[in-house]
Amino acid sequence: MNESPSQFRAPVGTHDVLGRQSALWEGLIGTFATLAYRYGFSLVITPLFEDVGVFNRGIGETSEVASKEMYVFTDRGDRTLALRPEGTASVVRAFVQHQPPTPWKAWYVTPAFRYERPQAGRYRQHHQLGVEVLGTDDPAVDVEVIALAWRFYAAIGLQRVRLLINSMGHDECRGRYVALLVTHLGEHEALLCDEHRQTWSANPLRVLDCKRPGCRAVTESGPMLPDHLCDDCRAHFDRVVDGLERLGIQSTLTPRLVRGFDYYTRTTFEFVADALDGAQNAIGGGGRYDKLAEQLGGPATSGIGFGSGIERLLLAREAEGVDGSLVNRTPDVFVVDTTGTDAATLYADQLRVAGLSVQRAYDNRSMKAQMKVADRSGARFAVLVGPTELASSQVTIRDLRSGEVSQTQRSVARDELVSVMLDLVTKK
Ligand code: HAM
């Protein structure tokens, strides 16, 4: 599409979705909605902004996202609000507020806002498809949530996806592990990267995530979380991994996978697309957050979910060479009206009421101009109505995809238009 040099453009790190992209988005969202329904989830919609405390408490004030990337603003009533940087904290806030019966299974599609350094696959407004389940810590739910994501990736044509999995343990066993890690990092502080030499004591788990050689070397020789899980957390984790295996879903134990938010407990996971560049290859991620509802002022309630970035899913499809938009968005019929009357409005309405997808031209353009638009629309059939047809209460139907006009064009009585068109479209 041609871009005009107009004064206003979408802000840096954001983009508009239109043209061919819009059918791809619709296909992805539709496929996810269908699967979510199959797995027993219903749609939840929460506000795009919340009291900043929802995110500070939820994802952790010292997390990278809350401390450096959140869009925080004061409204005209002097409230401090933040644009949602992710979906989970808002959904759990809504759960605490409304206390729906549990297990509560909700899915969402939402923009998320993070002040990041924009690059391919990393945006300031991205969009996530996700689910959350509240009210059970049954490992079967972990399996189900991960399986939903896995089946979704397969349904949209991705084949080169790997599942990385870890357990963060619960407060106590993680606490014991963090104490060991702190001792280890303290002993090797001088070798850490510049950033983590300053910050490791405030957030020691982050160092595990760091890919710089210094931090890598230090953590490689240090303690790893899965070796320090308590018996309950270990048993939970084993049941998740075994359960996935029974469904034919292979996971790779990844002890460094600590994820970026403070709310995670026990199972954490990420899906990486091998067709994408390493830095931005996470197409989805999630985990358990058994303390989050309490942290947001509710009763103790376990939870688990995942979010998947729509933009990255589309990049992964493109990188894998997956064709097709998952939905057909070409019209069935294009009505060409050169009578100067409201015939096109009337016929299009009748055909649409009958269930067909119909496009038409506007502004009384010439037959040639309208036919050009009809061809461009990809419609299979054109319904032509000019002065001659109008006078004889007929319409002409033309098959736009076969070459020979004489063989593909026929006149039908105006009253039969809907039934003939339905017949033709369902047979095509
Ligand atoms: P997250 O890993 O931060 O987790 O984001 C989920 C997914 O959103 C990522 O795997 C990636 O595909 C996409 N994503 C994240 N940031 C960006 C960005 N700046 N540009 C493009 N895509 C991005 C969460 O947000 C958690 N709420 C997931 C969750 C749900 N955990 C439990 N329930």
Side-chain angles (χ1 to χ4, degrees):
M1 248 175 271
N2 293 330
E3 298 254 313
S4 101
S6 71
Q7 182 189 356
F8 296 116
R9 308 182 70 80
V12 173
T14 71
H15 47 257
D16 305 308
V17 176
L18 64 162
R20 202 183 95 77
Q21 283 292 316
S22 87
L24 292 168
W25 278 63
E26 208 182 319
L28 237 57
I29 296 168
T31 305
F32 193 76
T34 305
L35 264 182
Y37 166 67
R38 230 180 259 172
Y39 280 74
F41 288 80
S42 35
L43 178 67
V44 63
I45 297 172
T46 58
L48 278 190
F49 55 86
E50 299 270 357
D51 186 305
V52 70
V54 170
F55 303 115
N56 277 340
R57 272 205 232 164
I59 65 184
E61 222 154 337
T62 60
S63 70
E64 182 101 350
V65 170
S67 62
K68 296 192 193 150
E69 298 176 352
M70 210 145 63
Y71 282 84
V72 181
F73 62 99
T74 310
D75 77 359
R76 290 168 197 271
D78 242 5
R79 300 170 193 89
T80 309
L81 303 166
L83 292 184
R84 162 195 302 170
E86 57 100 49
T88 311
S90 310
V91 172
V92 176
R93 193 272 308 143
F95 171 81
V96 168
Q97 181 175 338
H98 302 285
Q99 302 186 16
T102 58
W104 186 57
K105 299 171 82 174
W107 77 272
Y108 50 86
V109 49
T110 180
F113 306 87
R114 299 180 189 177
Y115 194 81
E116 308 234 34
R117 201 162 53 80
Q119 50 201 289
R122 190 169 289 279
Y123 310 104
R124 292 190 175 157
Q125 176 175 338
H126 72 278
H127 298 78
Q128 288 190 20
L129 292 161
V131 303
E132 312 293 346
V133 182
L134 279 122
T136 164
D137 67 354
D138 188 333
V141 170
D142 305 39
V143 173
E144 209 173 271
V145 162
I146 294 171
L148 163 53
W150 189 259
R151 306 295 181 214
F152 171 57
Y153 300 141
I156 62 171
L158 294 178
Q159 294 183 340
R160 295 176 55 207
V161 179
R162 275 181 303 124
L163 165 61
L164 312 181
I165 197 163
N166 193 19
S167 173
M168 304 289 295
H170 72 329
D171 280 357
E172 277 167 38
C173 55
R174 189 176 51 254
R176 282 197 296 273
Y177 166 73
V178 169
L180 292 174
L181 182 64
V182 163
T183 307
H184 180 78
L185 295 178
E187 282 164 8
H188 300 86
E189 186 186 66
L191 301 174
L192 297 176
C193 75
D194 290 347
E195 182 191 341
H196 287 122
R197 212 175 310 125
Q198 311 298 325
T199 59
W200 69 269
S201 58
N203 211 336
L205 287 171
R206 285 276 77 73
V207 184
L208 291 172
D209 221 9
C210 180
K211 295 192 173 64
R212 294 182 199 109
C215 288
R216 265 289 138 118
V218 171
T219 48
E220 225 126 67
S221 63
M224 283 296 177
L225 224 166
D227 302 327
H228 297 273
L229 295 177
C230 66
D231 290 349
D232 282 354
C233 289
R234 160 62 50 198
H236 182 100
F237 190 55
D238 288 346
R239 285 183 59 192
V240 175
V241 173
D242 290 349
L244 287 168
E245 219 167 278
R246 283 174 64 77
L247 300 188
I249 300 171
Q250 294 302 325
S251 56
T252 308
L253 174 65
T254 311
R256 285 177 187 283
L257 184 70
V258 289
R259 309 255 316 131
F261 304 134
D262 288 359
Y263 54 58
Y264 287 116
T265 54
R266 291 194 163 172
T267 317
T268 47
F269 54 90
E270 223 158 73
F271 298 95
V272 294
D274 282 336
L276 289 181
D277 176 53
Q280 260 74 244
N281 68 353
I283 52 169
R288 254 195 185 283
Y289 43 83
D290 291 339
K291 294 282 176 202
L292 181 53
E294 247 174 303
Q295 271 153 12
L296 294 179
T301 313
S302 302
I304 181 166
F306 75 86
S308 212
I310 295 183
E311 292 84 355
R312 289 203 193 163
L313 291 170
L314 291 174
L315 288 172
R317 284 181 101 231
E318 200 179 307
E320 281 199 29
V322 183
D323 269 344
S325 61
L326 304 160
V327 282
N328 175 16
R329 285 294 171 256
T330 52
D332 300 310
V333 184
F334 196 102
V335 180
V336 173
D337 174 7
T338 52
T339 63
T341 69
D342 63 356
T345 307
L346 196 66
Y347 298 175
D349 185 62
Q350 288 167 349
L351 292 164
R352 286 168 180 155
V353 168
L356 299 179
S357 162
V358 184
Q359 289 188 19
R360 52 164 294 190
Y362 302 97
D363 304 322
N364 279 325
R365 301 170 73 193
S366 71
M367 167 88 170
K368 194 171 157 208
Q370 292 192 45
M371 282 310 295
K372 214 164 137 189
V373 188
D375 279 332
R376 215 187 309 137
S377 76
R380 172 77 193 271
F381 298 100
V383 168
L384 314 177
V385 48
T388 324
E389 281 94 350
L390 199 64
S392 59
S393 294
Q394 291 197 314
V395 293
T396 302
I397 295 173
R398 186 183 290 178
D399 186 335
L400 292 176
R401 298 207 202 140
S402 332
E404 271 298 308
V405 171
S406 58
Q407 287 175 14
T408 59
Q409 182 160 308
R410 63 164 153 152
S411 294
V412 300
R414 197 242 150 295
D415 292 348
E416 287 167 19
L417 171 63
V418 169
S419 62
V420 173
M421 274 322 312
L422 276 175
D423 218 36
L424 283 172
V425 168
T426 45
K427 265 204 308 233
K428 71 179 176 179

